[in-house]
Amino acid sequence: MVITALWSFALVVGLLTITPGLDTALILRTAARGEQRRAWGVVLGIQTGTLCWGALTSAGVTALLAASRLAYETLRWAGAAYLLWMGARMLWEARGRSTAGSVDDGPEPAEPAAPGGSAAGWRQGLVTNLLNPKMGVFYVAVLPQFIPATAPHFLMGLALASVHVLLALVWSLVLVGFARVLRDWLRKPAARRVMDRVTGTAIVGFGVKLAVGE
């Protein structure tokens, strides 16, 4: 029963993992800028958040999100504000490079790693994940259904969350590898501006959706 539950859960979260979303946008954008260490920091931060949601759900804590409107709304607005700020900053940076009049005559030298490197990426990924109340609600709604009645509830919950993390790490390896293949093209000034505009707009869109969504 445990093995069956793990495989069934892997199928569900596997489809969720490869669906384009906020995590995909953050990882691709960071890796495409040539910041490999920071990109993996983002990946590990996101997956640390996933493990936290799994542990909190297994302990029954995240049930408060479903039961308490205030708790859910507080987390929802905090997450929306964070995404709007992050997306707006990317759009502002892209605008700054555009007004600087960069000439698109070939790949530009790789930028120095962003301050904080992998540690800053880990914090960004963790905060982004933990401020997404829909992640908690998803785990509250789905995780218990895959925990056999005879299995230790908390340990089985962590095992299921670990399956989610493992699949996400494999998918992240694909995303980072894809960005690395296109790195020379993405280092062109015009491509960088387009990438930041697209990613920033997408993240702002996620923030607005989170703010107005029920």
Side-chain angles (χ1 to χ4, degrees):
M1 292 180 64
V2 170
I3 298 300
T4 301
L6 290 173
W7 278 108
S8 300
F9 186 73
L11 178 61
V12 173
V13 296
L15 294 174
L16 176 67
T17 298
I18 63 176
T19 301
L22 175 61
D23 294 352
T24 301
L26 276 179
I27 294 168
L28 277 177
R29 188 252 184 184
T30 308
R33 289 168 61 92
E35 301 170 6
Q36 298 297 311
R37 294 185 62 182
R38 186 182 177 99
W40 280 110
V42 171
V43 170
L44 294 178
I46 290 170
Q47 301 319 317
T48 301
T50 298
L51 279 179
C52 288
W53 281 121
L56 292 172
T57 302
S58 302
V61 176
T62 50
L64 293 173
L65 285 177
S68 171
R69 184 71 176 179
L70 177 61
Y72 180 83
E73 289 297 314
T74 300
L75 189 58
R76 181 167 72 91
W77 282 107
Y82 178 71
L83 292 179
L84 290 172
W85 169 80
M86 183 164 55
R89 188 179 64 174
M90 290 181 187
L91 292 173
W92 181 259
E93 290 176 354
R95 180 179 180 275
R97 282 193 293 272
S98 179
T99 55
S102 297
V103 178
D104 187 11
D105 57 358
E108 63 181 5
E111 291 182 357
S118 57
W122 181 84
R123 288 193 298 270
Q124 184 182 45
L126 178 64
V127 171
T128 300
N129 190 292
L130 291 182
L131 288 182
N132 183 4
K134 294 185 177 182
M135 184 71 174
V137 172
F138 169 80
Y139 262 55
V140 169
V142 174
L143 200 68
Q145 300 180 38
F146 293 90
I147 300 180
T150 56
H153 194 277
F154 184 77
L155 292 178
M156 186 63 189
L158 284 181
L160 291 170
S162 297
V163 169
H164 191 180
V165 168
L166 179 60
L167 291 174
L169 287 175
V170 172
W171 181 240
S172 297
L173 183 63
V174 173
L175 294 177
V176 172
F178 176 74
R180 188 176 183 84
V181 169
L182 298 179
R183 182 178 56 186
D184 287 343
W185 178 76
L186 291 171
R187 279 169 52 190
K188 293 181 179 180
R192 293 284 291 276
R193 291 194 295 272
V194 171
M195 179 182 63
D196 279 356
R197 286 169 182 163
V198 170
T199 306
T201 301
I203 291 176
V204 168
F206 288 124
V208 171
K209 183 178 179 180
L210 185 59
V212 302
E214 294 295 333

